[in-house]
Every structure is written in structure tokens, then in C-alpha cells.
Amino acid sequence: MRLKRRLASLLVFPVLLLAGCPDDGVAGDTEADSDDGTTGAMTTAMTTMTTMTPTTMTTMGMDTTAGDDDDDTTAGGDDDDDDDDSTTTGDDDDDDDSTTAGEGSTTAGETTAGETTAGESTTSQETCGDDMVDGDDVCDGIDLGGEDCISQGFDGGTLGCLDDCSAFDTSACTMVTCGDDMIDGTDVCDGIDLDDQDCVSQGFDSGTLACTADCTGFDTSGCANFGGDCCAANATPGCDDDGCTGAICAADPFCCDDQWDDMCAGAALMDPACVGVGGSCPFEGDCCAANGSPGCEDDGCTTAICGADPFCCDNTWDDMCAGAALMDLACVGVGGSCPDPFEGDCCAANGTPGCDDVDCTTVVCGADPFCCDSQWDITCANAATAEVACQGLGGACPGFGDCLNNPEADVCGPGEVCVSDMNMNPTAAVCALFDCAGTGDCPPSPPGGDAPAQCVDVTGDSIADCTLGCSLGETCPTGMSCFAGFLCTW
């Protein structure tokens, strides 16, 4: 306040001086007459200061405060000034002057430098611990500036911030090392460390689980599902029946851990758990009685019955299965409680159910069940005579079978051979009794037509064969035609 009062007095004083001597030119004479020029200098200085703006004067006051004694003398007058002038320099030890200078200094600090105000503002805005990055913060609490462990060069983990906000805390970040037999980072597995997983947990029946080379997943190439014939070596772990597999592998783990070899298959053939499971494993039990096991001891009978009723093979051969077997020709003569094989000439009435050939009996009885349910009468015999499946069976059944469209073994009777127009891709063929002595050796002709049997050489090998001749225009049996104008063929 004292500085302000002094500046105010300086502003007024020159005015008074000038006002007091308006006419005599005191300012100019005084400056000339004075010995030291003090009065004139002061007048000039004051006049100049009078014309200065308050802002300029205030600045001078601050500069004067910051300056030394010589500067003060130049700005404020000579060395003979009173204590008030010394106060302006801020160098005097006077208590009052010191107080004024302090006040002036405070004003300058606040107005020009702004140190106190700026310092207080910075402290209030840059606060570590408020979960917000500001000022010199690298991070602040949960505010990581969008950074994470990966952006910091790690493979994973949780990035944090140091308590003083000066840097990131990477102590919870991780680096993945694949190949050290220890799961870490993003490893799914690592070498022998499979995280307690195995082939079974991966959905397979057995085998050896491994880890991929890059630790990103499991290698299941050594895993396998059980499959293959239980009663034959199948080169895979286990076999296709769970019950049989469990029984055999319990006694010999190699059969499931490595492969089902001959020893495993041999054990299955002897184990009740593997009976009738399919493949090479046999069914057991009487086909015409409930036997308590799947299937029965005859494969043909089992196939026929289970084809109509899968329960008989999938579960157990019960009374219904046995009853079906008693009525099925595929089960005739298979032993046990099943009826003896049919007997009697298939091409003649024989007074018994069926005839002595299963295939012929099956075909004829399929068309006329009476032939098997009751007896094989003349109607059944006639049907057999006209049936290809009954050709070449001997007895009253005709020879001259159709070996063009059927296997020779199925239609040519005892002593007959298949005679054809060519060995490869024949267009005409017939079963002929080989090396006959006369027509009396020839079998009966098939029904239809009137072509007679003849014992002649038709192949040019000088050996006579029983054939049917049509050289005189005779009619060949049903289904046959006259080949080359002399021989009935199929």
C-alpha cells in the first residue's frame, strides 16, 4: 500500500510545481542556474512520469523492485532521496520498506509469473489414484490407456499400473513357452502334460493321446474306436462288440491298448461273452428250441430266422425264434430239435414233406406250402420237374439243365457237363451226360416239347453225349430252342 501512495504523490507533485509557476519559465531557468542540475532533472523526470500510463508506471515499479541500487537511482532520483525512495528499490533493511517490497513482490508473482496460482492448479488436476490418466501419468489404476499384456510384448496375462502411476505393472503378464512339458499361457497341452486328458475323454474308445507340436491342441492320431471282427485278428484296438471287447481286454489289456491280434481273437472264440456277436464268432444253441443266447448253432438257420426277426440275434433266441425255425426249410436237418432232412425224389410223389434237395424243396414249398407242411405229392413233383432249381438232381428229375444262365454246379446232374457254342461269352449251352453208351443212359427230358434224347458226338471230340435232337423239326422243351438246326439248347 505504501508503494501505491508514493506513486500517487509522484503523479500529483509535478502538477503542483507546474501550476505554481506558470509564467516565469522556472523549469528552464532552474535547470540552467542550478549547480548540480538536480532540480531540473527531477522536474524533467517527473514531467515524463506524469505522462506515463498507469500500466507503464506499474511496470517500472516492478522493474525497479527487481533491480539494484544504481537502477533505483536512475529511475527514482539521486542518492539523496529519502527513505521512501529506498523503499522503492526493495534493498533497504527498513522494516516498513521491506514489508512494502514483500507486498510488491507478491503482487508481481501473482500478476506476472503466476507461480503460486499455476502450482496450485497443477496439483489439483494431476492426481494419481483417481483411475484417470492425466498430467504425467503413464496409467492410473484401472485406466491403462487401452494397453494390455500383449501390447507390452507378452503372450497374455493381466496388465496393471504401479501405485505412483509412473509405469505399467507387468508382473501378472505371461510368456508362453511351448515344449517344456508344462502347460502355461495359452497352451492347450504341452508335451507329456495333457491336462489329465486321454483318448476316451476326447470321444474315442482307446489309444494314446498326444499333444501337437505347437501346443495348440491334442493329437488324436493315436486314438481309435473299437471295431472289427471279434473272432479274427482285425489290427485295431478292440472289436465291434462292447461286451466281448470288455471281457477280452480285462484279461489282456494289449487287445484294447494296441491291437486285436490272433491271441485276442482266439480268446474271443472261447469266451461266452463273444458267442453270436457276429463276424467269425459262432452262434450256439439248438435252433429249434429256446437256447437263451443270441442266434443258434446253424448259420443258415440263424440268418433266415434273424432276417425276419432281428430280436433273435440281437437279444436272445427265445420260443418265438425256435418256433419259426421249426417251420423254416433253412432249419431242416440242422440238428438238435429240428426235423430230420427231407427225403424222397423231388420229381416224383414221395409221400413225405419236402424232398431230398433243400434248394428244390425251398422253391417248390415257397410256391405251395402244402408240399412241406403235409406231403410231397404229384403236384409238388410236377412243379419240381419244371423248376430250374430241381434240374439235374437225379431220380425222376430231368437233365439237360440251363447252364447258360446258371452255374454248372447248380443245374447239371451227376455225370453231366455244360456244352456250349464257345468257351467265352457263350450264346447257347445245355447240360449233357458225358460219354453215354446209348439213349438209355440219358435222363428224362424237361416238360414241354417232343425232342427226343440222343447219344451222339456233338462236340467233335469223338465222345458221345446225351442231348436232345431237333434235326427233324421236333419241338424243344419249354424255354429251349433248336441251335444250328440239330440241338436243343438254352
Side-chain angles (χ1 to χ4, degrees):
M1 294 298 292
R2 185 174 183 179
L3 176 60
K4 293 179 180 179
R5 288 196 299 273
R6 185 174 184 276
L7 291 174
S9 66
L10 290 175
L11 289 171
V12 174
F13 182 66
V15 174
L16 294 174
L17 290 176
L18 293 173
C21 304
D23 297 326
D24 57 2
V26 173
D29 294 339
T30 303
E31 182 178 357
D33 295 340
S34 175
D35 292 337
D36 56 8
T38 302
T39 305
M42 289 179 63
T43 302
T44 301
M46 291 179 186
T47 303
T48 301
M49 291 174 63
T50 303
T51 64
M52 294 180 182
T53 64
T55 301
T56 303
M57 292 169 63
T58 302
T59 303
M60 290 180 63
M62 290 188 291
D63 289 345
T64 300
T65 303
D68 57 17
D69 289 342
D70 291 338
D71 293 333
D72 179 71
T73 302
T74 302
D78 60 19
D79 292 338
D80 294 334
D81 285 344
D82 59 16
D83 290 340
D84 287 341
D85 294 334
S86 296
T87 301
T88 302
T89 67
D91 293 334
D92 196 296
D93 291 338
D94 181 82
D95 291 340
D96 292 338
D97 294 339
S98 175
T99 301
T100 303
E103 292 173 358
S105 175
T106 301
T107 302
E110 293 175 351
T111 303
T112 303
E115 290 177 346
T116 302
T117 303
E120 292 174 352
S121 176
T122 300
T123 302
S124 63
Q125 293 178 4
E126 300 178 9
T127 304
C128 177
D130 60 357
D131 291 321
M132 182 172 66
V133 174
D134 47 30
D136 293 331
D137 292 349
V138 172
C139 54
D140 194 326
I142 62 174
D143 187 352
L144 301 178
E147 300 293 307
D148 56 22
C149 285
I150 293 177
S151 69
Q152 297 301 304
F154 295 87
D155 292 317
T158 303
L159 186 66
C161 186
L162 296 180
D163 292 341
D164 62 1
C165 302
S166 64
F168 294 111
D169 179 3
T170 60
S171 61
C173 294
T174 59
M175 292 293 290
V176 176
T177 304
C178 178
D180 60 357
D181 293 322
M182 181 174 66
I183 294 175
D184 48 28
T186 58
D187 290 350
V188 174
C189 53
D190 195 327
I192 61 174
D193 187 350
L194 301 177
D195 195 25
D196 295 326
Q197 298 295 299
D198 56 22
C199 286
V200 174
S201 68
Q202 295 300 304
F204 295 89
D205 290 326
S206 184
T208 302
L209 187 67
C211 187
T212 57
D214 60 2
C215 302
T216 60
F218 295 109
D219 178 0
T220 59
S221 61
C223 299
N225 288 316
F226 296 144
D229 194 330
C230 292
C231 293
N234 59 41
T236 66
C239 70
D240 57 12
D241 183 81
D242 292 341
C244 181
T245 298
I248 300 305
C249 290
D252 185 356
F254 177 90
C255 300
C256 283
D257 294 340
D258 289 271
Q259 64 171 304
W260 196 270
D261 59 13
D262 288 329
M263 291 186 65
C264 307
L269 284 169
M270 303 296 293
D271 197 298
C274 303
V275 171
V277 297
S280 302
C281 296
F283 288 112
E284 292 183 347
D286 193 331
C287 291
C288 294
N291 59 40
S293 67
C296 71
E297 61 190 357
D298 183 81
D299 290 342
C301 180
T302 298
T303 300
I305 301 305
C306 291
D309 186 357
F311 179 90
C312 300
C313 283
D314 294 340
N315 292 277
T316 183
W317 195 271
D318 59 12
D319 288 329
M320 290 186 65
C321 305
L326 284 168
M327 301 296 293
D328 198 296
L329 292 176
C331 302
V332 171
V334 298
S337 303
C338 294
D340 293 333
F342 293 131
E343 297 180 352
D345 193 330
C346 290
C347 294
N350 60 39
T352 66
C355 69
D356 58 11
D357 183 82
V358 172
D359 290 336
C360 181
T361 300
T362 300
V363 172
V364 173
C365 289
D368 185 357
F370 178 89
C371 299
C372 285
D373 295 342
S374 298
Q375 61 172 311
W376 195 270
D377 59 14
I378 191 60
T379 301
C380 305
N382 289 338
T385 300
E387 178 57 54
V388 173
C390 303
Q391 293 174 0
L393 298 180
C397 290
F400 313 107
D402 180 6
C403 58
L404 177 67
N405 302 302
N406 301 280
E408 180 179 349
D410 291 345
V411 294
C412 293
E416 286 186 325
V417 294
C418 187
V419 176
S420 63
D421 59 346
M422 60 184 72
N423 290 329
M424 298 296 292
N425 300 317
T427 60
V430 65
C431 292
L433 182 64
F434 180 71
D435 196 16
C436 60
T439 57
D441 295 334
C442 297
S445 299
D450 56 6
Q454 58 185 10
C455 182
V456 296
D457 178 11
V458 294
T459 60
D461 60 0
S462 301
I463 300 175
D465 302 300
C466 282
T467 58
L468 297 175
C470 57
S471 59
L472 299 177
E474 294 89 349
T475 301
C476 294
T478 303
M480 300 179 76
S481 60
C482 188
F483 174 76
F486 78 98
L487 181 67
C488 292
T489 62
W490 297 94

